[in-house]
Amino acid sequence: MQKESTRSRQGILVIGDFCVDLILTGDVRPRFGQVEQIVDDAAIDVGGSAAIFASQSAKLGARVKVVGSVGDDAFGKLISGELGRAGVDVSGLKPHPVLKTGIGVALSLPSDRAILTYMGTLDAMRPGDLDESLFDSVGHVHLASYFLLDAMRGEWTRWLALCRERGITTSMDTNWDPHRRWQGIEELLPYVDVFLPNEQEALAISRETNVEAAGKKLADQGPLVVIKRGADGATAFGRNETWTLTPNPSVGLPARVVDTTGAGDNFDAGFINAWLACAGIPASLELGHRCAIASLEQPGGMRGQKKQPVPETP
Ligand SMILES: Nc1ncnc2c1ncn2[C@@H]1O[C@H](COP(=O)(O)OP(=O)(O)OP(=O)(O)O)[C@@H](O)[C@H]1O
Ligand SMILES: [Mg+2]
């Protein structure tokens, strides 16, 4: 893991997935046979793990730019517009000449959700979309949704090694593997400073059956491993030490869970921004958790986001 002296929030590059989420809440279990069903609420929000991370980071006071693909359509403009308003540099968000913007339709219950995904540009990133100049004036790189970016699989070792060479810190949240193969991560971990899977992802990637064994095995490859555990909080695993945050009134409990979309991505942004400000691991877990629960209380990943600069530790 990189030394504290090399960490910087002035220039976070976020690479990954951008889409639009339509979130329906209430009686959302569909019934076929021409049934028209009335739901409680509908919200359209910018989604994609990279988009949510970038937006929350900018709201926490970081200088952020994004790289990825959107469609040359109304949803693509919505994404650029919303991220731009949050203060994110969207010049690296390229409108695709052919594909339409990806869409996630979330049927959201307080304790669970089903998502219908139209991929569109979600996995449109290609090796030629990255070049060395994107890494100029960058202090940290966050790679989101590794498993969605199929065409980029062979590329990341090179780019993450370049980051290490240039003293750029790195973090990664793979999210779920839709193919359920869970491969390719081990070779990247030595170049990753902070790895942020959720519990199921950590077990699947490490091929372990309990969180402690998974966290230790993944941390042995090099990174600080932060495993998100839903209502049970989160545990960080270093080489020889672990830290656990258990949700309670002093670190915050969600007043109500409206929609879980983006909780993990907002957690990532809170954790990484505190970590980059050298806040220490317990305080980084706490900011991650606070950003996550703010997002649980609103539909979508961006509405509930905290707008509050993180103080730099002198
Ligand atoms: N019901 C809850 N009560 C309290 N805290 C919660 C609850 N659900 C989530 N959290 C907080 O949000 C964090 C991230 O949630 P989760 O573990 O669901 O991440 P994730 O699976 O990566 O999410 P995503 O679906 O966005 O990928 C948790 O580590 C915890 O801090
Ligand atoms: Mg996640």
Side-chain angles (χ1 to χ4, degrees):
M1 206 201 311
Q2 297 286 86
K3 293 193 294 287
E4 292 197 350
S5 57
T6 61
R7 296 183 200 164
S8 164
R9 295 199 306 136
Q10 288 323 310
I12 299 183
L13 175 65
V14 185
I15 306 171
D17 53 328
F18 300 82
C19 67
V20 162
D21 285 333
L22 168 62
I23 301 110
L24 302 176
T25 51
D27 177 17
V28 294
R29 285 184 202 279
R31 292 184 277 281
F32 283 86
Q34 312 281 327
V35 175
E36 180 168 351
Q37 205 170 310
I38 309 298
V39 298
D40 290 352
D41 197 12
I44 286 198
D45 206 354
V46 172
S49 184
I52 295 168
F53 180 96
S55 166
Q56 178 63 93
S57 295
K59 290 173 187 170
L60 292 172
R63 190 160 56 78
V64 186
K65 64 178 174 179
V66 287
V67 181
S69 258
V70 293
D72 190 6
D73 51 27
F75 284 155
K77 290 184 183 69
L78 176 80
I79 294 169
S80 303
E82 283 293 311
L83 289 177
R85 264 188 292 286
V88 175
D89 173 350
V90 293
S91 54
L93 206 52
K94 296 282 181 289
H96 196 278
V98 180
L99 295 172
K100 294 177 284 184
T101 301
I103 304 175
V105 179
L107 308 177
S108 186
L109 299 168
S111 56
D112 197 5
R113 67 178 181 213
I115 305 181
L116 303 170
T117 300
Y118 164 67
M119 287 299 285
T121 50
L122 266 166
D123 61 353
M125 196 169 185
R126 293 291 177 271
D129 294 336
L130 286 182
D131 70 76
E132 284 205 20
S133 67
L134 284 166
F135 294 77
D136 292 344
S137 313
V138 162
H140 183 83
V141 169
H142 180 73
L143 171 56
S145 292
Y146 166 92
F147 288 121
L148 286 186
L149 305 176
D150 273 335
M152 298 297 293
R153 283 290 168 91
E155 299 294 306
W156 299 120
T157 313
R158 174 161 80 95
W159 291 112
L160 291 170
L162 175 92
C163 290
R164 197 40 76 79
E165 228 174 85
R166 291 195 181 181
I168 299 170
T169 54
T170 58
S171 52
M172 175 166 74
D173 181 348
T174 62
N175 286 306
W176 191 253
D177 180 0
H179 311 298
R180 300 188 184 214
R181 288 195 284 266
W182 305 103
Q183 286 164 351
I185 302 303
E186 282 204 352
E187 65 204 63
L188 301 184
L189 291 181
Y191 301 103
V192 172
D193 292 294
V194 186
F195 179 45
L196 303 129
N198 71 20
E199 195 166 334
Q200 292 77 18
E201 293 153 3
L203 296 178
I205 290 164
S206 65
R207 316 210 184 256
E208 292 287 350
T209 50
N210 72 75
V211 175
E212 280 66 33
K216 290 203 172 87
K217 187 169 178 183
L218 297 169
D220 277 346
Q221 323 273 325
L224 174 70
V225 176
V226 184
I227 302 187
K228 294 165 282 179
R229 311 175 70 181
D232 292 331
T235 302
F237 297 81
R239 281 267 168 101
N240 303 306
E241 216 178 331
T242 63
W243 300 261
T244 290
L245 176 138
T246 306
N248 66 56
S250 85
V251 293
L253 289 169
R256 61 190 189 293
V257 176
V258 172
D259 169 44
T260 60
T261 306
D265 310 316
N266 282 306
F267 179 101
D268 295 350
F271 185 94
I272 290 298
N273 276 273
W275 181 84
L276 287 173
C278 302
I281 290 168
S284 302
L285 286 169
E286 186 170 331
L287 186 60
H289 174 71
R290 286 187 184 282
C291 290
I293 60 174
S295 119
L296 294 173
E297 292 171 0
Q298 300 285 335
M302 284 176 59
R303 268 161 220 249
Q305 285 180 335
K306 289 178 112 35
K307 208 164 185 178
Q308 179 187 312
V310 174
E312 297 296 334
T313 310

